[in-house]
Amino acid sequence: MRLMRPAERFWISLGASLVACAALFPAPAWAGAPAPATTDGPTVEEQRLSGPVPGEILRRSGFDEVAPGFARALDRTRTAPQAERLAVAEGRRLWRRAVDRAQGRGPDGGDLSRDDDRPLYWARLGMTRAVREWKPGFELSEKQRSALIAAVERSSRGQDSIELPAGQRVKRVLITGFDPFQLDADARRSNPSGAAALALDGTTVQTPAGPARVEAAVFPVRWEDFAQGTVERTLLPHLRPGPRRVDLFTTISQGRPGRFDVERTNGAWRGGYPDNARVSRTETVPVPPGVPTVHPQPQWTSTTLPYAAIVAARTGPYTVHDNTAVTEIPAGATEPVDRPDGPTPGSTAREGGGGDYLSNEIAYRATLLRDAVRAPVPGGHLHTPVLAFGDGNADPATGQVSDPEFVANRLAITAQVRSVITVAVGAGQRS
């Protein structure tokens, strides 16, 4: 989910692509904060459900009954705590159903490719809209309704069901992906990082350092959720010392056409591009109160992934780059400058290697948290290639929601993510 530099934006505009890119620890005050959202009516994201594309994706995956079934179950609840237990349970069920479908378990529910991440996204929105529109037979405050929505969000993203094993016989890996985005331009869009998260969650990969258990979660493309601590709340328990601390983590998002990038440096700057809620933020990345952090807040953080080994390995059909470029305001200057070899001392961040959008921000937050708790583990950000529709299916007004090239590319990206993780775990343990 990297926003392109000017030359790349021009490249994209020519049509090269349609798609741009807690139980073990006491919970601080920010940890339980629900994602802010109005309960007065459907959100911008929920309003998109009325279009034909979401309906087709839900229908052709068998996920069209998720939200109606959840709404009926809500109507049978009699207290707010009962409703919250239902929200958590049904959110987790949706996540597990999406993971199972992606990994070939259970019925496919329709002819849409099993690896598709979009049914999860649209079904979740149906569930949150159901909570927003629900008229219970008992008193429910706006705060309680917001808590129900937050429970659905967390549990249906896998954020509260990360289960890494203890012991020395298996390595522990945590990866994260993102929702589809830029849906006003094309509601058909899929995000290969989310697809990879579903395909790899709960799997074991064989690495040169031994077996590695992979756990995954996905995140929304919304500035405000990040400001409220959704990343830190999810990752912190797995970076703290203990028998289940991760041995490696990587945040993942969609980046540039035709290539993977290991982003060397992340910047503390939000560039303002609108998110899935059509909200813009241009500011220094805000760190939630109470979160372990580094003081003073650094302008830059760095990957500790074994980027040289990843780039040198043959992991799949796409080239993998060690991306060192950033955009900075040099110390004592006022105008931004592109730096191909990373930031200079005392500079102010304007773009990390991954740009100035939420992919850069999740990488910054995750690595800042790693540094704050002094977790001696490899961690950083991986950008996947842009996922594009096949020739003849590019026009969102007339195109199909899927095509063979679209599916083949997504499967290839997921397979290479798995290979990159395999190399990274082996190299990280040798370093």
Side-chain angles (χ1 to χ4, degrees), residues 52-387:
V53 168
E56 182 177 350
I57 289 171
L58 291 169
R59 222 171 25 250
R60 291 177 58 185
S61 59
F63 280 55
D64 53 336
E65 258 302 307
V66 169
F70 175 61
R72 291 191 295 270
L74 268 180
D75 284 339
R76 293 193 293 269
T77 63
R78 297 293 176 263
T79 65
Q82 187 180 3
E84 185 160 8
R85 288 192 295 271
L86 176 73
V88 172
E90 291 302 306
R92 287 178 178 170
R93 180 181 295 182
L94 175 59
W95 172 256
R96 183 48 48 196
R97 179 174 174 176
V99 168
D100 286 347
R101 188 175 192 274
Q103 297 180 16
R105 294 185 290 272
D108 56 21
D111 65 345
L112 207 61
S113 174
R114 276 185 173 267
D115 73 299
D116 206 313
D117 60 305
R118 297 172 297 175
L120 171 64
Y121 174 72
W122 293 111
R124 178 191 304 116
L125 288 174
M127 290 178 68
T128 58
R129 185 177 65 179
V131 175
R132 223 175 295 279
E133 296 174 345
W134 180 41
K135 295 180 174 57
F138 54 89
E139 184 177 348
L140 186 75
S141 69
E142 290 303 288
K143 182 177 180 180
Q144 289 172 318
R145 193 184 298 267
S146 293
L148 294 180
I149 294 167
V152 170
E153 288 273 3
R154 286 194 299 271
S155 59
S156 65
R157 296 180 180 281
Q159 294 175 3
D160 66 351
S161 55
I162 296 168
E163 297 179 359
L164 290 164
Q168 301 299 314
R169 295 185 178 182
V170 63
K171 303 302 178 185
R172 292 169 289 276
V173 177
L174 179 58
I175 67 173
T176 69
F178 273 103
D179 289 349
F181 68 113
Q182 293 188 326
L183 298 166
D184 287 331
D186 190 347
R188 302 176 300 161
R189 284 175 171 159
S190 163
N191 195 321
S193 69
L198 293 175
L200 297 177
D201 182 54
T203 65
T204 299
V205 297
Q206 299 301 321
T207 82
R213 170 66 174 265
V214 182
E215 290 285 311
V218 296
F219 287 92
V221 183
R222 297 191 298 251
W223 295 110
E224 186 61 26
D225 294 69
F226 276 49
Q228 292 293 322
T230 185
V231 173
E232 291 86 353
R233 177 180 61 241
T234 302
L235 300 186
L236 180 58
H238 313 290
L239 291 174
R240 296 276 200 187
R244 290 180 170 82
R245 182 170 64 189
V246 298
D247 294 296
L248 181 142
F249 70 89
T250 184
T251 53
I252 308 172
S253 65
Q254 180 176 247
R256 301 164 180 85
R259 58 187 275 184
F260 278 84
D261 288 277
V262 183
E263 305 297 355
R264 186 81 75 87
T265 307
N266 318 296
W269 185 250
R270 300 175 141 195
Y273 190 82
D275 63 12
N276 274 356
R278 302 191 192 122
V279 170
S280 177
R281 291 287 183 268
T282 305
E283 59 188 352
T284 299
V285 170
V287 178
V291 173
T293 193
V294 178
H295 297 285
Q297 182 179 351
Q299 286 294 303
W300 309 99
T301 64
S302 299
T303 189
T304 48
L305 291 172
Y307 50 85
I310 294 170
V311 169
R314 295 182 179 179
T315 53
Y318 299 99
T319 57
V320 185
H321 295 258
D322 168 23
N323 184 36
T324 59
V326 301
T327 300
E328 67 174 17
I329 299 176
T334 58
E335 295 299 320
V337 176
D338 291 341
R339 299 288 190 191
D341 298 321
T344 57
S347 66
T348 301
R350 281 302 175 265
E351 288 189 36
D356 58 11
Y357 199 39
L358 286 160
S359 56
N360 168 75
E361 182 159 332
I362 197 170
Y364 177 84
R365 289 182 180 278
T367 50
L368 182 64
L369 193 64
R370 174 205 63 202
D371 295 346
V373 299
R374 300 181 179 181
V377 300
H381 191 78
L382 180 69
H383 257 129
T384 77
V386 170
L387 180 61

